[in-house]
Amino acid sequence: MTKKVNFLDPYIKIKSDKTNKNFQYIPGTNIPLPSEIEISESGTCNRKCSFCPRSDPNYEDVKEFISTEMLEKLVMELKEYNYENIIRFSGFVEPLLDKNIFNLITLIKNHLPHCKIEMVTNGDVLNKKRLLKLYESGLDVLLISVYDGIEDVYKFENLQKECNIDDENFVIRHRYLPPEDDFGITISNRAGMMENAEHKIPATNVALKDPCYYPSYTFFLDYNGDVLMCPHDWGKKRVLGNLKFQSFKEIWTSKFANVGRKLLNKGNRNFSPCNLCDVKGTLIGKKHANAFSQLNEK
């Protein structure tokens, strides 16, 4: 049975529109480039939210960070394709814990001036100096997930005004709502990784028969070079390759990646970790999924 979608993040519609509008192919091919490159640039976070797998006592916190060399390798390969879509610092971590984050943003913007650099943060270490430095480094959009209450919303709104930042570049997300309102997030069981979290969500007993477009439009890079098939795979069970040893193109167009897309685009989730997952995977990326389906039919 299909999981009922309750709370939907309003930013999803914006992301979907961006995905369709800025559709790119690998030059000279009919292979879509990802519209979102998500970088989980460390193994650590300063919070353990109840609706996050990090609230599982057994979830490992690793205080390691992506190397500048790793990111530069990705950026230089994307530069060959004139990449102009979204690169987002987010994933399973808090990006502002990385002291090198400003340099990483500048590196991207210097080589990919037309891409949009986003960051998702809890804002805990944010102040005026750091906020201004983020935008001076080349950040385009900051998405702040507010977890503690409306008082923090007012605090960040005042900080935004003080720094004279436009609304389109500064998004506050209300993540402090009660459980019956899904905490203000588009909630899922994170591919079966919420069974031992504080807010328990069971893994699916029977694989859903719903399509999922995530692997068709998202390239997810972990801090150690691993590329995961999906940003919901908090257990890191399906690694498509490693950027240390392979190129972006080799991983993105690999047989392993394409088999996953083919199955998921047809609603077949009968493989790990998708067989345990309840995510609504069709909210973004249909145009990419259709393009990959056409390639698979040839």
Side-chain angles (χ1 to χ4, degrees), residues 25-67:
Y25 292 103
I26 294 177
T29 76
N30 292 323
I31 302 171
L33 281 166
S35 64
E36 297 185 6
I37 293 177
E38 189 165 349
I39 301 172
S40 190
E41 43 69 63
S42 80
T44 189
C45 185
N46 62 311
R47 283 184 178 250
K48 294 182 179 180
C49 299
S50 63
F51 48 81
C52 174
R54 285 187 175 274
S55 65
D56 181 339
N58 296 318
Y59 195 90
E60 187 176 12
D61 187 74
V62 181
K63 290 178 172 57
E64 295 179 8
F65 300 86
I66 195 171
S67 67

Tab-separated table of all heavy atoms in Angstrom, residues 25-67:
chain	number	residue	atom	x	y	z
A	25	TYR	N	22.021	17.842	-20.557
A	25	TYR	CA	22.569	16.552	-20.968
A	25	TYR	C	24.094	16.597	-20.898
A	25	TYR	O	24.698	17.680	-20.977
A	25	TYR	CB	22.162	16.229	-22.407
A	25	TYR	CG	20.697	15.952	-22.621
A	25	TYR	CD1	19.862	16.907	-23.187
A	25	TYR	CD2	20.146	14.719	-22.274
A	25	TYR	CE1	18.512	16.652	-23.405
A	25	TYR	CE2	18.804	14.450	-22.484
A	25	TYR	CZ	17.988	15.418	-23.047
A	25	TYR	OH	16.657	15.165	-23.250
A	26	ILE	N	24.703	15.431	-20.762
A	26	ILE	CA	26.136	15.347	-21.010
A	26	ILE	C	26.352	15.733	-22.465
A	26	ILE	O	25.708	15.162	-23.354
A	26	ILE	CB	26.670	13.935	-20.729
A	26	ILE	CG1	26.558	13.620	-19.229
A	26	ILE	CG2	28.112	13.790	-21.198
A	26	ILE	CD1	27.002	12.224	-18.851
A	27	PRO	N	27.182	16.735	-22.740
A	27	PRO	CA	27.327	17.233	-24.116
A	27	PRO	C	27.578	16.115	-25.128
A	27	PRO	O	28.376	15.211	-24.897
A	27	PRO	CB	28.532	18.170	-24.012
A	27	PRO	CG	28.501	18.651	-22.598
A	27	PRO	CD	28.033	17.474	-21.799
A	28	GLY	N	26.823	16.165	-26.225
A	28	GLY	CA	26.979	15.194	-27.291
A	28	GLY	C	26.269	13.881	-27.057
A	28	GLY	O	26.442	12.938	-27.830
A	29	THR	N	25.456	13.806	-25.991
A	29	THR	CA	24.752	12.558	-25.670
A	29	THR	C	23.290	12.864	-25.332
A	29	THR	O	22.881	14.020	-25.248
A	29	THR	CB	25.382	11.839	-24.462
A	29	THR	OG1	24.992	12.513	-23.247
A	29	THR	CG2	26.898	11.809	-24.557
A	30	ASN	N	22.520	11.794	-25.111
A	30	ASN	CA	21.150	11.911	-24.606
A	30	ASN	C	21.069	11.509	-23.138
A	30	ASN	O	20.003	11.152	-22.638
A	30	ASN	CB	20.210	11.030	-25.435
A	30	ASN	CG	20.046	11.528	-26.854
A	30	ASN	OD1	20.011	12.736	-27.086
A	30	ASN	ND2	19.960	10.603	-27.806
A	31	ILE	N	22.216	11.573	-22.448
A	31	ILE	CA	22.290	11.185	-21.038
A	31	ILE	C	22.116	12.420	-20.174
A	31	ILE	O	22.925	13.355	-20.246
A	31	ILE	CB	23.641	10.510	-20.717
A	31	ILE	CG1	23.853	9.278	-21.611
A	31	ILE	CG2	23.699	10.125	-19.246
A	31	ILE	CD1	25.239	8.688	-21.497
A	32	PRO	N	21.065	12.476	-19.355
A	32	PRO	CA	20.859	13.650	-18.501
A	32	PRO	C	21.958	13.785	-17.455
A	32	PRO	O	22.430	12.783	-16.894
A	32	PRO	CB	19.519	13.381	-17.830
A	32	PRO	CG	18.872	12.301	-18.628
A	32	PRO	CD	19.987	11.490	-19.201
A	33	LEU	N	22.367	15.009	-17.197
A	33	LEU	CA	23.197	15.296	-16.038
A	33	LEU	C	22.288	15.399	-14.813
A	33	LEU	O	21.101	15.724	-14.938
A	33	LEU	CB	23.939	16.613	-16.228
A	33	LEU	CG	25.185	16.589	-17.109
A	33	LEU	CD1	25.611	18.015	-17.469
A	33	LEU	CD2	26.329	15.856	-16.411
A	34	PRO	N	22.809	15.125	-13.634
A	34	PRO	CA	21.977	15.320	-12.442
A	34	PRO	C	21.613	16.789	-12.286
A	34	PRO	O	22.424	17.676	-12.586
A	34	PRO	CB	22.879	14.844	-11.296
A	34	PRO	CG	24.263	14.971	-11.826
A	34	PRO	CD	24.178	14.685	-13.285
A	35	SER	N	20.422	17.047	-11.830
A	35	SER	CA	20.040	18.432	-11.563
A	35	SER	C	20.468	18.850	-10.161
A	35	SER	O	20.531	20.033	-9.857
A	35	SER	CB	18.528	18.610	-11.705
A	35	SER	OG	17.851	17.850	-10.720
A	36	GLU	N	20.756	17.873	-9.317
A	36	GLU	CA	21.220	18.159	-7.970
A	36	GLU	C	22.423	17.292	-7.637
A	36	GLU	O	22.369	16.064	-7.790
A	36	GLU	CB	20.115	17.885	-6.938
A	36	GLU	CG	18.896	18.764	-7.093
A	36	GLU	CD	17.884	18.541	-5.977
A	36	GLU	OE1	18.196	17.778	-5.039
A	36	GLU	OE2	16.798	19.127	-6.044
A	37	ILE	N	23.496	17.932	-7.225
A	37	ILE	CA	24.647	17.219	-6.688
A	37	ILE	C	24.694	17.535	-5.207
A	37	ILE	O	24.883	18.684	-4.808
A	37	ILE	CB	25.943	17.626	-7.395
A	37	ILE	CG1	25.892	17.136	-8.841
A	37	ILE	CG2	27.164	17.065	-6.665
A	37	ILE	CD1	27.072	17.524	-9.678
A	38	GLU	N	24.442	16.530	-4.403
A	38	GLU	CA	24.386	16.721	-2.952
A	38	GLU	C	25.671	16.208	-2.332
A	38	GLU	O	26.103	15.081	-2.607
A	38	GLU	CB	23.173	15.996	-2.363
A	38	GLU	CG	22.933	16.323	-0.910
A	38	GLU	CD	21.555	15.898	-0.424
A	38	GLU	OE1	20.708	15.532	-1.263
A	38	GLU	OE2	21.327	15.941	0.796
A	39	ILE	N	26.276	17.037	-1.502
A	39	ILE	CA	27.555	16.706	-0.890
A	39	ILE	C	27.380	16.607	0.618
A	39	ILE	O	27.077	17.596	1.287
A	39	ILE	CB	28.621	17.757	-1.242
A	39	ILE	CG1	28.800	17.844	-2.763
A	39	ILE	CG2	29.951	17.413	-0.573
A	39	ILE	CD1	29.676	18.985	-3.226
A	40	SER	N	27.559	15.413	1.130
A	40	SER	CA	27.538	15.176	2.571
A	40	SER	C	28.986	15.230	3.031
A	40	SER	O	29.677	14.214	3.078
A	40	SER	CB	26.900	13.813	2.860
A	40	SER	OG	26.645	13.621	4.227
A	41	GLU	N	29.476	16.454	3.347
A	41	GLU	CA	30.924	16.674	3.350
A	41	GLU	C	31.620	16.345	4.664
A	41	GLU	O	32.796	16.703	4.842
A	41	GLU	CB	31.263	18.090	2.889
A	41	GLU	CG	30.432	19.218	3.431
A	41	GLU	CD	30.666	19.464	4.903
A	41	GLU	OE1	31.781	19.815	5.270
A	41	GLU	OE2	29.710	19.279	5.676
A	42	SER	N	30.925	15.630	5.547
A	42	SER	CA	31.606	15.107	6.728
A	42	SER	C	30.818	13.913	7.246
A	42	SER	O	29.838	13.490	6.629
A	42	SER	CB	31.721	16.187	7.816
A	42	SER	OG	30.502	16.329	8.530
A	43	GLY	N	31.256	13.397	8.387
A	43	GLY	CA	30.528	12.299	9.005
A	43	GLY	C	29.922	12.697	10.329
A	43	GLY	O	29.572	11.829	11.134
A	44	THR	N	29.771	14.022	10.558
A	44	THR	CA	29.369	14.463	11.888
A	44	THR	C	28.260	15.506	11.868
A	44	THR	O	28.083	16.226	10.885
A	44	THR	CB	30.588	15.027	12.658
A	44	THR	OG1	30.241	15.254	14.024
A	44	THR	CG2	31.090	16.316	12.030
A	45	CYS	N	27.541	15.554	12.969
A	45	CYS	CA	26.503	16.565	13.178
A	45	CYS	C	26.464	16.876	14.672
A	45	CYS	O	26.795	16.017	15.500
A	45	CYS	CB	25.143	16.073	12.697
A	45	CYS	SG	23.828	17.323	12.793
A	46	ASN	N	26.048	18.087	15.027
A	46	ASN	CA	25.993	18.469	16.431
A	46	ASN	C	24.636	18.188	17.071
A	46	ASN	O	24.437	18.458	18.255
A	46	ASN	CB	26.328	19.959	16.594
A	46	ASN	CG	25.326	20.854	15.885
A	46	ASN	OD1	25.012	20.644	14.722
A	46	ASN	ND2	24.815	21.862	16.582
A	47	ARG	N	23.700	17.629	16.296
A	47	ARG	CA	22.376	17.322	16.823
A	47	ARG	C	22.009	15.855	16.585
A	47	ARG	O	22.566	15.209	15.699
A	47	ARG	CB	21.311	18.216	16.184
A	47	ARG	CG	21.280	19.645	16.738
A	47	ARG	CD	20.153	20.436	16.132
A	47	ARG	NE	20.068	21.775	16.681
A	47	ARG	CZ	19.092	22.203	17.485
A	47	ARG	NH1	18.109	21.377	17.818
A	47	ARG	NH2	19.079	23.441	17.937
A	48	LYS	N	21.026	15.412	17.381
A	48	LYS	CA	20.440	14.089	17.196
A	48	LYS	C	18.921	14.248	17.260
A	48	LYS	O	18.287	13.930	18.274
A	48	LYS	CB	20.930	13.107	18.264
A	48	LYS	CG	22.422	12.804	18.181
A	48	LYS	CD	22.838	11.795	19.240
A	48	LYS	CE	24.329	11.483	19.135
A	48	LYS	NZ	24.758	10.491	20.168
A	49	CYS	N	18.347	14.753	16.183
A	49	CYS	CA	16.913	15.018	16.157
A	49	CYS	C	16.135	13.698	16.227
A	49	CYS	O	16.575	12.674	15.690
A	49	CYS	CB	16.535	15.780	14.897
A	49	CYS	SG	17.345	17.401	14.763
A	50	SER	N	14.977	13.741	16.865
A	50	SER	CA	14.204	12.521	17.096
A	50	SER	C	13.779	11.851	15.800
A	50	SER	O	13.647	10.623	15.735
A	50	SER	CB	12.965	12.830	17.939
A	50	SER	OG	12.097	13.724	17.252
A	51	PHE	N	13.579	12.649	14.730
A	51	PHE	CA	13.118	12.117	13.452
A	51	PHE	C	14.272	11.847	12.492
A	51	PHE	O	14.063	11.676	11.293
A	51	PHE	CB	12.129	13.091	12.795
A	51	PHE	CG	12.614	14.515	12.769
A	51	PHE	CD1	13.496	14.953	11.812
A	51	PHE	CD2	12.173	15.404	13.727
A	51	PHE	CE1	13.951	16.247	11.801
A	51	PHE	CE2	12.619	16.720	13.731
A	51	PHE	CZ	13.503	17.150	12.759
A	52	CYS	N	15.480	11.770	13.042
A	52	CYS	CA	16.685	11.523	12.240
A	52	CYS	C	17.333	10.219	12.683
A	52	CYS	O	17.317	9.885	13.875
A	52	CYS	CB	17.665	12.685	12.432
A	52	CYS	SG	19.274	12.435	11.643
A	53	PRO	N	17.914	9.457	11.748
A	53	PRO	CA	18.605	8.226	12.140
A	53	PRO	C	19.732	8.444	13.145
A	53	PRO	O	20.125	7.502	13.837
A	53	PRO	CB	19.157	7.709	10.805
A	53	PRO	CG	18.202	8.217	9.779
A	53	PRO	CD	17.822	9.592	10.275
A	54	ARG	N	20.227	9.675	13.261
A	54	ARG	CA	21.288	9.941	14.242
A	54	ARG	C	20.800	9.805	15.681
A	54	ARG	O	21.618	9.721	16.608
A	54	ARG	CB	21.880	11.333	14.020
A	54	ARG	CG	22.805	11.407	12.812
A	54	ARG	CD	23.513	12.738	12.706
A	54	ARG	NE	24.469	12.729	11.605
A	54	ARG	CZ	25.707	12.293	11.686
A	54	ARG	NH1	26.158	11.825	12.841
A	54	ARG	NH2	26.508	12.315	10.641
A	55	SER	N	19.488	9.795	15.891
A	55	SER	CA	18.976	9.578	17.245
A	55	SER	C	19.011	8.105	17.643
A	55	SER	O	18.751	7.769	18.805
A	55	SER	CB	17.550	10.129	17.381
A	55	SER	OG	16.643	9.418	16.557
A	56	ASP	N	19.352	7.233	16.708
A	56	ASP	CA	19.608	5.819	17.012
A	56	ASP	C	20.940	5.752	17.769
A	56	ASP	O	21.963	6.236	17.275
A	56	ASP	CB	19.695	5.025	15.706
A	56	ASP	CG	19.946	3.542	15.910
A	56	ASP	OD1	20.443	3.146	16.992
A	56	ASP	OD2	19.678	2.763	14.980
A	57	PRO	N	20.967	5.189	18.966
A	57	PRO	CA	22.208	5.135	19.752
A	57	PRO	C	23.363	4.463	19.022
A	57	PRO	O	24.536	4.717	19.355
A	57	PRO	CB	21.811	4.326	20.997
A	57	PRO	CG	20.337	4.473	21.085
A	57	PRO	CD	19.832	4.581	19.683
A	58	ASN	N	23.058	3.639	18.044
A	58	ASN	CA	24.109	2.910	17.330
A	58	ASN	C	24.586	3.620	16.061
A	58	ASN	O	25.479	3.116	15.382
A	58	ASN	CB	23.611	1.510	16.967
A	58	ASN	CG	23.315	0.666	18.196
A	58	ASN	OD1	24.074	0.669	19.162
A	58	ASN	ND2	22.187	-0.034	18.182
A	59	TYR	N	23.988	4.780	15.747
A	59	TYR	CA	24.407	5.484	14.534
A	59	TYR	C	25.765	6.136	14.780
A	59	TYR	O	25.957	6.882	15.743
A	59	TYR	CB	23.386	6.531	14.112
A	59	TYR	CG	23.609	6.997	12.691
A	59	TYR	CD1	22.983	6.343	11.633
A	59	TYR	CD2	24.453	8.054	12.410
A	59	TYR	CE1	23.201	6.741	10.319
A	59	TYR	CE2	24.677	8.459	11.106
A	59	TYR	CZ	24.053	7.810	10.065
A	59	TYR	OH	24.280	8.199	8.767
A	60	GLU	N	26.698	5.855	13.901
A	60	GLU	CA	28.077	6.282	14.101
A	60	GLU	C	28.285	7.741	13.700
A	60	GLU	O	27.852	8.186	12.634
A	60	GLU	CB	29.030	5.393	13.285
A	60	GLU	CG	30.497	5.642	13.557
A	60	GLU	CD	31.410	4.690	12.810
A	60	GLU	OE1	30.913	3.980	11.914
A	60	GLU	OE2	32.611	4.649	13.128
A	61	ASP	N	28.953	8.489	14.568
A	61	ASP	CA	29.346	9.866	14.281
A	61	ASP	C	30.844	9.871	13.996
A	61	ASP	O	31.646	9.445	14.827
A	61	ASP	CB	29.028	10.770	15.465
A	61	ASP	CG	29.268	12.236	15.158
A	61	ASP	OD1	28.457	12.824	14.422
A	61	ASP	OD2	30.266	12.801	15.648
A	62	VAL	N	31.215	10.343	12.804
A	62	VAL	CA	32.613	10.310	12.369
A	62	VAL	C	33.087	11.736	12.100
A	62	VAL	O	32.581	12.403	11.199
A	62	VAL	CB	32.779	9.454	11.088
A	62	VAL	CG1	34.249	9.415	10.675
A	62	VAL	CG2	32.234	8.056	11.300
A	63	LYS	N	34.040	12.190	12.863
A	63	LYS	CA	34.523	13.558	12.719
A	63	LYS	C	35.629	13.628	11.667
A	63	LYS	O	36.790	13.934	11.958
A	63	LYS	CB	34.982	14.090	14.073
A	63	LYS	CG	33.814	14.327	15.022
A	63	LYS	CD	34.255	14.820	16.386
A	63	LYS	CE	33.040	15.215	17.220
A	63	LYS	NZ	32.063	14.122	17.378
A	64	GLU	N	35.223	13.318	10.449
A	64	GLU	CA	36.105	13.432	9.292
A	64	GLU	C	35.392	14.274	8.242
A	64	GLU	O	34.162	14.299	8.176
A	64	GLU	CB	36.440	12.048	8.727
A	64	GLU	CG	37.243	11.178	9.681
A	64	GLU	CD	37.540	9.811	9.087
A	64	GLU	OE1	37.246	9.609	7.881
A	64	GLU	OE2	38.034	8.946	9.825
A	65	PHE	N	36.202	14.955	7.406
A	65	PHE	CA	35.646	15.907	6.457
A	65	PHE	C	36.187	15.652	5.055
A	65	PHE	O	37.273	15.097	4.888
A	65	PHE	CB	35.984	17.338	6.892
A	65	PHE	CG	35.439	17.694	8.241
A	65	PHE	CD1	36.150	17.389	9.404
A	65	PHE	CD2	34.206	18.311	8.369
A	65	PHE	CE1	35.650	17.700	10.650
A	65	PHE	CE2	33.685	18.632	9.617
A	65	PHE	CZ	34.410	18.324	10.762
A	66	ILE	N	35.420	16.056	4.066
A	66	ILE	CA	35.837	15.887	2.685
A	66	ILE	C	37.107	16.694	2.430
A	66	ILE	O	37.290	17.782	2.986
A	66	ILE	CB	34.712	16.320	1.717
A	66	ILE	CG1	34.984	15.816	0.296
A	66	ILE	CG2	34.515	17.829	1.736
A	66	ILE	CD1	33.799	16.021	-0.656
A	67	SER	N	37.985	16.172	1.603
A	67	SER	CA	39.215	16.890	1.287
A	67	SER	C	38.967	17.890	0.162
A	67	SER	O	38.076	17.699	-0.682
A	67	SER	CB	40.312	15.906	0.864
A	67	SER	OG	39.990	15.298	-0.375
